[in-house]
Amino acid sequence: SCQVPNNIPSTDTDKRTVFSFLEKFFLMCITSINVLRIKILIYKVGGNIMKLYNSMTGRKEEFIPLDGKNVKMYACGITVYDLSHIGHARQAIAYAMVADYLRYRGYNVKYVRNYTDVDDKIIDRANKLGKDPLEFSREQIEETEKDMANLHITDADVKPKASENIENIIEFVQGLIDKGHAYPAENGDVYFNVRSFPGYGKLSHRKVDELLNGVRKDVEEGKHDPIDFALWKAAKPGEISWKSPWGEGRPGWHIECSTMVLKNLGETIDIHGGGKDLIFPHHENEIAQSEALTGKPFAKYWSHCGLIKINGEKMSKSLGNSLSIRDALKKYNYEVIKFVMYSKHYTSDMDLLDKDFALAEKHLYYFYNTIKAMKEFINLYNGNKDGEALEDDISESIIPNFIEVMDDDFNSAAALSNLHSIFKYVNVIMKNAKKNNREKTANTLAKILANVKEVYGILGLFEQEPEKFLTEMKQKYVANLDITEEKIDEMIAKRSEAKKIKDFETADAIRSELDSKGIILNDTVNGTTWNVKALFNID
């Protein structure tokens, strides 16, 4: 008897208010209505409230862009002095996910992700290799681009480089000097005057005087205060440099991001992302520089991705546990890497263990096995996602449930968790399909598959052909067993011959021998198939 009013409010704010009230009212008062159907109703009329954790305030906040449906987003990229590692992959995956999901929800996103191609580490590495620093950076960027493409990560809309923004950086620094927030030293360095910006420390929640603890007592030449930081660095002999009003030099690290944000997105942006390790000093310094120059808030929402450890230790080349993206892709399918990254909330730190990747492989193997069976069932009984389906809540719930958890600060871990109940249900209805409802079952499967691909495709999952994924995974696991695929096929053929002549003792012995080697058999009307036992052992 309950009806949604015809005069639905026209503004987003009014809609959020009304639908938030309706959801609470329905859930509390109308117990006879299926909760799921209420969720579907709210999803269809756009009543979900998206929330994003804001590092600045330390809480989740309703996501309301500055300009209607237009979203300006910046994520700090990679300093390209070496091959990109798995921590870079996690951050790139996380913010591509944010951008892709926002687009799915109807926002127009401009996503900028920079490359730092001028830096002390880059110069040092290039000098050791006897290469021009910018040429070395270009080579490293090309390699990073290959790795990101092989991870199938959605590209940023703009990928600016520090070296291509020198004039803009000089103009930005001069603006800070003109406003009294920066000063040039006699040696050609330019420093930001931290005490000139009253809001310094508001992101990292540090007080300026506390920053003096641990700072060297011998102030660098030209610095007025130990806590001031470099905007422009005077060139040292043999270093790459550019002409500036203060002499030959190059930009400091922090100024490049502020400059590239201003150039590509404007004075105030919606979302600024990066790793937790960048909160201080990098992001704190970005805020000081940008807000000192413009007098406006730099970013509305500050988002920080968790850090990665490998088997309990911080990644470090000196410890020999730094896992490059390239090496990870040699060992694991790109969807397996993504699945592992999505299995924890993007803001959480991760301790990557070898067993995490193995578990992800097994989960995806099960899902892809089910998708393969679904496709075969759909094709056999001419399934159509728009055809008459079984009465079920699963197929209708996939999209609203995904939206519900992803609207809650992009909770990919909860989204992955939902997959298990979906595929469990799929296997049950395929197993229990009767002659009189196979067409409805096929239609239901087609609908479920379409809905799964629609939303989990946003995460870059289930993009591959099931047969290809399953074959490659089996080959990987068989390679670790004391048997070859050729030998398995040979033994299955011998077993089939034994069964034909009713030599069941030999047939059972072959099955037992294969089982002891880690191979399981499945007898079907179409013959015997085999699989790797380890792929089904999920602890």
Side-chain angles (χ1 to χ4, degrees):
S1 63
C2 295
Q3 294 181 343
V4 177
N6 292 325
N7 58 333
I8 295 177
S10 58
T11 68
D12 287 344
T13 302
D14 288 343
K15 281 184 180 180
R16 280 191 291 271
T17 302
V18 170
F19 289 119
S20 177
F21 169 77
L22 285 174
E23 180 179 24
K24 292 175 184 176
F25 177 77
F26 284 155
L27 291 176
M28 289 189 297
C29 304
I30 309 179
T31 56
S32 62
I33 297 178
N34 186 293
V35 171
L36 169 63
R37 300 193 189 285
I38 298 169
K39 282 185 183 178
I40 294 168
L41 169 66
I42 292 168
Y43 148 67
K44 287 181 177 178
V45 294
N48 272 41
I49 296 175
M50 185 181 293
K51 291 185 177 180
L52 172 64
Y53 182 82
N54 190 348
S55 302
M56 179 69 79
T57 60
R59 63 176 183 269
K60 289 181 188 177
E61 298 177 0
E62 183 178 356
F63 179 63
I64 304 174
L66 296 163
D67 179 22
K69 286 289 185 179
N70 299 312
V71 176
K72 295 181 288 186
M73 174 176 156
Y74 182 91
C76 289
I78 300 168
T79 301
V80 287
Y81 69 94
D82 204 346
L83 289 176
S84 302
H85 56 65
I86 201 71
H88 296 137
R90 189 192 188 194
Q91 187 179 323
I93 289 168
Y95 290 111
M97 170 191 73
V98 169
D100 288 342
Y101 182 69
L102 289 173
R103 290 182 181 115
Y104 177 75
R105 294 293 275 136
Y107 294 99
N108 305 310
V109 181
K110 185 175 181 181
Y111 172 32
V112 178
R113 182 179 177 86
N114 78 301
Y115 278 115
T116 295
D117 63 345
V118 181
D119 176 84
D120 291 337
K121 290 181 179 179
I122 293 170
I123 293 169
D124 182 59
R125 182 67 58 84
N127 287 341
K128 287 178 181 177
L129 295 172
K131 292 186 175 183
D132 174 78
L134 288 184
E135 180 57 34
F136 173 68
S137 291
R138 279 192 289 271
E139 292 172 359
Q140 292 302 113
I141 289 172
E142 286 178 9
E143 296 305 312
T144 297
E145 292 283 296
K146 289 177 188 175
D147 290 339
M148 295 300 178
N150 288 332
L151 275 172
H152 293 242
I153 296 174
T154 304
D155 234 347
D157 299 299
V158 185
K159 294 178 286 186
K161 304 176 185 68
S163 65
E164 295 173 351
N165 285 271
I166 299 299
E167 289 184 13
N168 298 316
I169 290 170
I170 291 172
E171 183 181 346
F172 198 117
V173 173
Q174 187 61 57
L176 288 171
I177 293 172
D178 294 343
K179 286 177 176 282
H181 292 289
Y183 56 91
E186 288 184 8
N187 66 350
D189 290 338
V190 180
Y191 292 100
F192 184 86
N193 181 356
V194 169
R195 294 185 188 276
S196 75
F197 182 70
Y200 195 84
K202 61 184 175 182
L203 178 65
S204 57
H205 308 295
R206 303 185 186 201
K207 294 180 179 179
V208 172
D209 289 331
E210 292 174 357
L211 300 177
L212 289 169
N213 295 329
V215 174
R216 296 186 311 182
K217 299 298 185 225
D218 52 325
V219 180
E220 294 168 62
E221 183 185 354
K223 256 193 184 186
H224 293 177
D225 194 314
I227 60 175
D228 293 346
F229 59 88
L231 299 171
W232 185 263
K233 296 183 177 182
K236 296 175 183 176
E239 278 191 350
I240 184 173
S241 63
W242 290 266
K243 292 180 180 179
S244 80
W246 320 287
E248 291 279 337
R250 59 187 174 85
W253 176 35
H254 313 296
I255 192 65
E256 66 182 68
C257 285
S258 287
T259 302
M260 288 186 271
V261 168
L262 181 62
K263 178 185 176 182
N264 293 285
L265 296 171
E267 294 178 329
T268 305
I269 64 174
D270 296 286
I271 301 173
H272 194 309
K276 282 183 180 177
D277 56 332
L278 299 182
I279 292 175
F280 186 88
H282 186 53
H283 287 166
E284 197 71 75
N285 290 352
E286 279 190 67
I287 291 170
Q289 296 163 164
S290 297
E291 296 188 2
L293 182 72
T294 69
K296 297 177 182 178
F298 183 38
K300 186 173 182 180
Y301 304 95
W302 282 89
S303 171
H304 289 97
C305 187
L307 306 179
I308 282 182
K309 292 182 178 180
I310 302 288
N311 292 319
E313 293 182 312
K314 182 180 178 180
M315 278 197 301
S316 167
K317 285 193 174 294
S318 62
L319 295 173
N321 69 341
S322 179
L323 178 61
S324 71
I325 296 173
R326 191 153 301 180
D327 286 341
L329 285 166
K330 289 175 184 175
K331 296 172 68 174
Y332 307 110
N333 184 282
Y334 75 90
E335 285 194 30
V336 171
I337 295 172
K338 284 186 172 182
F339 195 93
V340 171
M341 297 304 168
Y342 292 139
S343 66
K344 292 273 190 181
H345 193 272
Y346 77 99
T347 60
S348 301
D349 291 342
M350 291 186 79
D351 185 4
L352 283 182
L353 308 174
D354 293 334
K355 67 179 183 179
D356 295 330
F357 291 100
L359 184 60
E361 286 178 330
K362 293 169 187 179
H363 285 313
L364 281 168
Y365 194 78
Y366 167 67
F367 297 146
Y368 266 111
N369 249 323
T370 305
I371 289 172
K372 180 174 178 286
M374 290 170 75
K375 286 188 167 185
E376 291 169 352
F377 197 106
I378 292 165
N379 290 335
L380 185 60
Y381 297 106
N382 300 313
N384 186 322
K385 66 182 179 68
D386 298 317
E388 185 180 1
L390 301 173
E391 288 190 10
D392 81 295
D393 289 330
I394 292 291
S395 59
E396 290 285 353
S397 71
I398 293 168
I399 294 176
N401 281 351
F402 183 87
I403 288 175
E404 180 180 23
V405 297
M406 290 294 285
D407 274 2
D408 184 16
D409 196 25
F410 312 100
N411 194 345
S412 61
L416 293 191
S417 179
N418 290 340
L419 283 170
H420 297 282
S421 59
I422 294 168
F423 284 104
K424 181 179 180 181
Y425 171 75
V426 162
N427 281 300
V428 168
I429 65 172
M430 284 194 293
K431 181 179 179 181
N432 296 332
K434 305 298 182 185
K435 189 174 182 179
N436 64 346
N437 74 347
R438 284 172 184 160
E439 187 176 328
K440 285 184 179 180
T441 301
N443 293 340
T444 304
L445 293 174
K447 186 174 184 179
I448 289 173
L449 186 57
N451 289 346
V452 164
K453 282 184 169 285
E454 177 180 326
V455 290
Y456 287 92
I458 299 166
L459 304 182
L461 299 178
F462 311 124
E463 295 179 336
Q464 300 167 77
E465 281 300 318
E467 194 65 53
K468 183 176 183 292
F469 180 90
L470 297 170
T471 298
E472 289 177 356
M473 199 63 65
K474 283 169 68 174
Q475 289 173 342
K476 176 181 177 178
Y477 274 70
V478 168
N480 294 319
L481 302 177
D482 183 27
I483 194 168
T484 64
E485 290 188 55
E486 291 75 18
K487 184 63 175 177
I488 295 169
D489 292 335
E490 180 186 320
M491 292 176 72
I492 289 174
K494 285 183 180 179
R495 179 172 176 268
S496 297
E497 290 301 317
K499 288 173 69 176
K500 284 179 183 177
I501 61 174
K502 300 187 185 301
D503 183 1
F504 298 115
E505 184 177 348
T506 298
D508 289 344
I510 292 172
R511 177 190 281 273
S512 296
E513 184 180 354
L514 285 169
D515 185 78
S516 69
K517 291 182 179 295
I519 301 299
I520 53 178
L521 301 181
N522 182 33
D523 294 319
T524 71
V525 293
N526 298 318
T528 301
T529 60
W530 62 272
N531 236 308
V532 181
K533 192 190 300 184
L535 282 165
F536 294 88
N537 293 336
I538 299 178
D539 298 325

